[in-house]
Amino acid sequence: MLRLPDFDYYAPSTAEEAVRVAADHGPDAAYVAGGTDLYPNMKRRQQTPAVVVGLSRISALREITGEASSGLRIGAGVTLTRLAEDERVRAAYPSVAYAASTISTPLLRNMGTIGGNLLLDTRCNYYDQTYEWRKSIDFCMKRDGEICWVAPSSPKCWAVNSSDEAPLMVALDAKLRFVSPEGEREIPARELYGADGINYLTKRPDELLLDVCLPPANGWRAAYVKLRRRASFDFPVLGVAARVKTAADGTVEEATVVLGAVHPSPRIIEEAGAVLVGRKLTDEAIREAGEIAQHLARPLDNTDFLPHWRKQVVATHVGRALAGLR
Amino acid sequence: MSAPVPLTHITRARNGRPAKRRAQFTVNGEPVDVLFAPHKTLLEVLREDLNLTGTKHGCELGECGACAVLVDGEPVLACLVLGLDAEGRDVTTVEGMADGPALHPIQEAFAQYGAAQCGYCTPSFMLTAQVLLEKNPSPSRDEIREALSSSICRCTGYVKIYEAVELAAARMRGEEADILEEAIYGR
């Protein structure tokens, strides 16, 4: 059996208490919301916090507040099921609800939260394995080892960001609100993700995600397209988030194309967005944007399917995302 | 310095292991009061401390669905819920489906259709189907497929499972329904 390692468990009922406990234990503490990312990792000894701070009793984290016209605020503890079904989210941010509905399975969505998905640990073929499996290859640099098996000459870790909501939040320019003993601070989604599979977040470990603030829902549209082997369970092997703002005649004024599940962080492909500006979303413009994104995508041997093939399908999926916004 | 935080009390036993902690919740309508190590999952508590072995341990990583139980009526994976987080909750396992000697219509339909071979995934399919039918008494095949997509069956495939859920749904709606003729072995 895969059992959890020994740890001390706290279940505070307010964010202030949670932050205080985490701060008291420094890097030995981990927050847990739905547990669908942390607990499997703990069972495989990828993460072994001595103190776990459960957030499920903090009702303040489960609220969705605000109006679409001024921006909706989604509590970090809102489950993915609720995010996918919430009427306000579905009406004003259909891509956000859709992306949530594609995450793993219905039961995992009943447990997993938007906060957990946005802060998901990076994943890799050589990392998401049991302790014994990892030991047999002398581990990897993300945990217990020295080398990156994805790119053995690389000085950095190439684990991949497999969140479905992260590329969308980057495309939408959402803001995340964190709290720590030093007070609150806001980090734009675009500045949250680091370029390294180990230091994949720019937030400090003791900072607790309170909520995500979506921008006002008028004047732009967004889409998300996900590629994976099975229509359930699987993490994306490619996620494309696209956001466009068009003039009344359909001319693109702003465009953002973000690739997920390809690099250690969701990556904005600036050139693909730029090539669309000033044009309508014609087949030709969409094809060009897709080809640029494909050229710049660097999938590696860190998740399902061959990296070569994952690169070949980027243009098609960028195209599907953009065609949905016509 | 702020006032001490009123947290669940933690003590260490003399050997350095965490002392057992207590949780009180209900399982299949009966109140339980259990002591267990704080890092035990609800799955482990149900099977090892409460001897309710109907809930199965499969992958234990959330990738197979075998350990599904209902917590406050919502299906979740018991392998990824701490036993301590069941405190005050209402847990339903497959043992809670039947009404005394009378099988639940979903159990009856699964048995009639042979929708179980080795049976390991069956509790999870039946419990998630139960929640589906409470919310949606007339689900389409696609809705059943989606609702049951958390569980993996490695024996039968899924057709008989879907047919059994459809049969149970019809009976629960009060319709006269029986197993499809062509599904009966040996005819």
Side-chain angles (χ1 to χ4, degrees):
Chain A
M1 284 183 74
L2 281 172
R3 288 190 191 269
L4 286 167
D6 175 15
F7 58 87
D8 285 341
Y9 185 64
Y10 293 82
S13 54
T14 67
E16 292 68 33
E17 292 171 29
V19 162
R20 212 179 309 154
V21 177
D24 283 349
H25 295 90
D28 289 337
Y31 294 117
V32 64
T36 59
D37 184 34
L38 182 69
Y39 291 147
N41 286 1
M42 287 175 69
K43 288 181 177 189
R44 294 180 297 223
R45 307 301 189 263
Q46 293 156 254
Q47 285 167 274
T48 48
V51 171
V52 174
V53 184
L55 306 174
S56 62
R57 307 259 165 195
I58 307 178
S59 55
L61 294 179
R62 290 196 295 272
E63 288 169 9
I64 299 180
T65 54
E67 297 294 329
S69 56
S70 55
L72 218 50
R73 215 174 251 289
I74 299 173
V78 169
T79 64
L80 296 167
T81 297
R82 215 178 123 214
L83 186 63
E85 291 176 355
D86 186 89
E87 287 305 325
R88 288 163 293 177
V89 178
R90 285 169 67 115
Y93 307 92
S95 55
V96 174
Y98 169 74
S101 77
T102 69
I103 295 168
S104 59
T105 71
L107 267 64
L108 286 161
R109 293 198 291 276
N110 285 346
M111 309 167 74
T113 62
I114 176 67
N117 190 255
L118 290 175
L119 305 179
L120 189 72
D121 191 11
T122 51
R123 301 180 57 80
C124 183
N125 289 339
Y126 301 93
Y127 171 68
D128 290 291
Q129 303 287 354
T130 59
Y131 182 83
E132 292 74 14
W133 192 103
R134 292 186 295 116
K135 189 180 178 195
S136 74
I137 59 163
D138 201 20
F139 303 104
C140 77
M141 67 163 69
K142 187 160 161 66
R143 181 67 204 252
D144 302 320
E146 302 295 324
I147 199 170
C148 174
W149 291 104
V150 169
S153 61
S154 166
K156 75 169 201 176
C157 162
W158 286 98
V160 68
N161 186 303
S162 301
S163 165
D164 287 297
E165 291 286 358
L168 256 180
M169 294 305 151
V170 169
L172 267 50
D173 198 16
K175 308 281 193 278
L176 289 82
R177 196 162 59 103
F178 292 88
V179 65
S180 74
E182 287 155 41
E184 283 183 20
R185 75 163 169 151
E186 197 174 76
I187 306 179
R190 291 181 183 181
E191 292 167 23
L192 179 66
Y193 300 100
D196 175 313
I198 294 173
N199 299 303
Y200 62 97
L201 292 173
T202 57
K203 82 164 191 92
R204 294 193 316 273
D206 68 333
E207 286 183 297
L208 173 68
L209 178 61
L210 292 174
D211 52 30
V212 187
C213 187
L214 301 177
N218 25 30
W220 54 269
R221 280 169 303 144
Y224 181 69
V225 170
K226 174 175 185 171
L227 174 66
R228 54 177 165 176
R229 190 179 290 267
R230 302 172 293 183
S232 188
F233 285 101
D234 292 339
F235 284 96
V237 294
L238 172 66
V240 179
R243 173 187 178 275
V244 295
K245 192 175 173 196
T246 50
D249 70 346
T251 305
V252 174
E253 294 173 337
E254 286 172 32
T256 313
V257 174
V258 183
L259 297 185
V262 175
H263 305 107
S265 63
R267 175 152 323 164
I268 300 181
I269 308 294
E270 303 276 1
E271 296 86 338
V275 80
L276 296 169
V277 174
R279 304 164 72 179
K280 292 183 180 170
L281 286 174
T282 59
D283 289 352
E284 176 68 14
I286 287 175
R287 191 179 55 77
E288 282 178 39
E291 282 172 4
I292 291 169
Q294 180 159 317
H295 178 69
L296 295 171
R298 294 273 178 279
L300 293 168
D301 172 30
N302 47 20
T303 184
D304 196 8
F305 292 116
L306 295 172
H308 171 70
W309 184 80
R310 284 165 56 212
K311 184 174 172 72
Q312 278 183 343
V313 297
V314 170
T316 305
H317 289 82
V318 169
R320 285 179 191 170
L322 289 170
L325 297 173
R326 282 200 275 224
Chain B
M1 196 57 204
S2 46
V5 178
L7 292 166
T8 323
H9 185 56
I10 288 180
T11 52
R12 291 256 158 201
R14 237 182 265 164
N15 60 8
R17 303 287 298 173
K20 285 188 175 183
R21 287 171 63 186
R22 180 181 182 183
Q24 292 171 291
F25 49 101
T26 63
V27 179
N28 302 327
E30 288 179 27
V32 297
D33 188 345
V34 225
L35 284 171
F36 51 88
H39 59 272
K40 277 190 133 178
T41 62
L42 178 59
L43 174 67
E44 290 159 355
V45 174
L46 287 170
R47 291 182 58 89
E48 297 163 8
D49 299 291
L50 296 169
N51 294 321
L52 290 168
T53 52
T55 309
K56 303 303 181 217
H57 58 79
C59 71
E60 294 175 85
L61 297 168
E63 294 168 8
C64 78
C67 63
V69 298
L70 311 184
V71 174
D72 290 344
E74 278 297 316
V76 297
L77 298 173
C79 75
L80 298 180
V81 175
L82 285 189
L84 288 175
D85 277 338
E87 173 72 35
R89 312 265 187 207
D90 185 13
V91 178
T92 306
T93 69
V94 68
E95 287 94 339
M97 282 188 82
D99 180 10
L103 291 180
H104 189 283
I106 295 173
Q107 293 176 307
E108 188 84 46
F110 266 67
Q112 277 190 305
Y113 257 113
Q117 270 185 31
C118 83
Y120 214 76
C121 65
T122 310
S124 71
F125 276 111
M126 294 196 303
L127 280 169
T128 42
Q130 184 189 336
V131 175
L132 168 70
L133 297 184
E134 280 165 10
K135 291 180 180 170
N136 180 359
S138 309
S140 67
R141 179 65 68 95
D142 276 347
E143 286 168 336
I144 296 173
R145 208 190 307 260
E146 168 63 20
L148 301 190
S149 67
S150 301
S151 299
I152 287 177
C153 166
R154 298 287 86 154
C155 302
T156 75
Y158 301 89
V159 175
K160 288 190 172 198
I161 293 171
Y162 300 148
E163 286 174 344
V165 174
E166 285 165 355
L167 175 63
R171 287 175 175 163
M172 288 165 73
R173 291 192 301 264
E175 295 166 21
E176 286 279 326
D178 211 347
I179 182 168
L180 293 170
E181 184 94 359
E182 59 268 29
I184 301 171
Y185 179 74
R187 289 260 174 110

